[in-house]
Amino acid sequence: MSESLISARGLTKKYGDFTAVNAIDFDVAKGESFGLLGPNGAGKSTTMRIIAATSQRTAGTISILGRDPEEHGPQIRAHLGVVPQQDNLDGELTVTENLFIYGRYFGLSKKFIRAKIEELLEFAQLEEKRNVKVDALSGGMKRRLTIARALVSEPDILMLDEPTTGLDPQARHILWDRLFRLKETGVTLVLTTHFMDEAEQLCDRLVVMDNGKIMAEGSPLELIKVYSTKEVLEVRFGSERNKEVAPILRGMCDRIEELPDRILMYVEDGEALLEEIIAKKLHPTTSLVRRSSLEDVFLRLTGRSLIE
Amino acid sequence: MSTAVEIADARANKFGHQLYAGRARAIVERSLLALRSSTWVPIATGFVEPVLYLLAFGYGMGELIGNVDFGGKTIDYTVFIAPGLLATSAMNGAIYDSTWNVFFKLNESKLYQGMLATPLGPLDVALGEITWALLRGLSYAMAFMAITAPLGLVPGVAAILAIPAAVFIAFGFASFGMAITSYFKTYQQMGMINIVLLPMFLFSGSLYPISVYPDWLEFLIKLMPSWHGIELVRDIWFSAFDNGTLIHVSYFCVMIVTGLYFTTRRLRNLFMR
């Protein structure tokens, strides 16, 4: 692994008796796109806030660009671009004014910011909205503006907390495309998500979090390889018959998961298994063979679905 | 041209660099930008109110009252209430920005959260917002002076010092107002501020000397910041300085420092813990 930008050891955050983050270790390398995947309440946002030097850890160590956020909060924040889970754009200002004043918060010169704004408006595809008040923007535009705002200081690390939650599919794809371009320019991305497709699209490497702990770590492909099989056969027999059939199916492959509406069977060759099932005259009402995803990894690690 | 990192690094060894980045003016710049697109009605209201009091009490009631004894001199009632209302005007201006506006930015628009994700510290935010509030206090005081001078209510040139004095007391109110607001979570709690403010202004000697009260009430009123503010401006208005003047000044010094301390502490606990 190349130079480590962020390094955490035994990182812990408690709120009273509640442990939000429980002794986690991780490293983020320069230029990498690092993801924290997990359900709501897993401790992802808390971890993000500690990295962003806006929350103080209870125990453990963390170093960001070689510095401790407790000693050098403002210096660390100067390196970061933060995109919070909920947009906190300045509703009283226009698109351009939002970018301008955010740059001023960093102490940047007006001349520098004015030049930067043109670049950012183009990046965020908001040139035509430059003089519009942000309250009049769509959800997708607001997100793009929040990302553009985070880039005004030319950060080394861009922190994105649930970047596409609440957006429609088209807006998500536009956003992913923008983030992909950023990644190509060498910006380190740290993001949280509870969407496995987003994690697969954007993350070079990720940790799966649950209840404040890291359950597994690796690239999306590695995780699937270690914690799941190549393919998954999904079969439905109707809610009544699922229970009856499950014990028979269990003997036909290494691992099955019974979900309320369907049964997942983990195998190397899904089609072959389906033929076997049909040969036994079990006749599922519907069937689907697909590649394993991070959702399957999460199910394996926690026994639960990501989105409940 | 410095980068964001160079600018932040330059302060890394300064005392209190975690709390203050030396950029309160960026917050003031933000308010200036927002002012351009804001509605002027609430701004005008804050100024009109004391002028209405001046008209109703000075030229209305004043006809019945005639003269008042102040500092051994006999003065016209309208002249007597003018400095009190100037102080009230400045306080109104400061309070408007430091309470309701701050509450909105804290709880609704999450603006401070965004600011504190940058290298800015809580003291930058507190000082910037308070500066803006007292700029409003300043403009109200100047406007009030501009109305009272042609009416012959200003006794001398030295009374112009009432304007910096008004800004000083506005600083006290803004600082303290923001501190209290930062601890409030609901609209009901914010409503309390209005309930406290109106009687405080009415009974703190802006319209009549508080010597009319029984001793215990007079003592109570003398604990209120509004009374100290009104008396300070009145002392300057009539160049009638005594030990009391010094007490008024000290009162506001304490108010400013206490307010800044608690605002900074609270913002830090809210957004950086």
Side-chain angles (χ1 to χ4, degrees), chain B residues 75-96:
Chain B
I75 50 176
D76 181 66
Y77 178 69
T78 315
V79 177
F80 173 78
I81 64 169
L85 292 171
L86 174 84
T88 308
S89 181
M91 288 186 256
N92 274 347
I95 286 169
Y96 180 80

Side-chain angles (χ1 to χ4, degrees), chain A residues 13 15 49 52-56 67 69-75 77-80 82 84 86-93 97 100-102 104-112 133 149 153-154 156, chain B residues 1-5 7-13 17-19 21 23 25-27 29-30 33-38 104-105 109-111 113-122 268 270-273:
Chain A
K13 176 75 181 183
Y15 296 101
R49 293 190 55 217
T54 50
S55 179
Q56 306 206 334
R67 282 166 149 168
E70 255 167 57
E71 304 291 320
H72 291 103
Q75 288 73 37
R77 294 199 296 277
H79 281 281
L80 307 178
V82 177
Q86 279 180 312
D87 289 323
N88 56 8
L89 293 163
D90 201 326
E92 293 175 72
L93 306 184
E97 286 169 340
F100 178 80
I101 201 64
Y102 210 71
R104 298 294 289 161
Y105 296 158
F106 283 85
L108 299 167
S109 75
K110 292 178 182 174
K111 196 176 149 204
F112 173 85
K133 282 234 187 128
R149 186 183 71 166
S153 55
E154 302 188 326
D156 297 302
Chain B
M1 197 125 51
S2 306
T3 66
V5 172
I7 293 164
D9 279 352
R11 293 188 66 88
N13 298 316
H17 78 104
Q18 299 255 47
L19 294 177
R23 268 200 300 287
R25 64 174 152 38
I27 312 292
E29 269 180 54
R30 187 256 150 214
L33 281 178
L35 181 69
R36 276 199 240 153
S37 57
S38 70
F104 179 77
K105 291 175 194 168
S109 63
K110 310 275 175 206
L111 222 51
Q113 195 184 34
M115 289 173 181
L116 293 171
T118 73
L120 288 177
R268 194 163 177 225
L270 278 176
F271 299 114
M272 315 185 97
R273 280 285 170 213

Side-chain angles (χ1 to χ4, degrees), chain A residues 175-186:
Chain A
L175 208 72
W176 284 346
D177 165 64
R178 298 290 108 180
L179 292 176
F180 218 82
R181 281 172 199 231
L182 271 182
K183 199 167 125 44
E184 284 173 339
T185 64

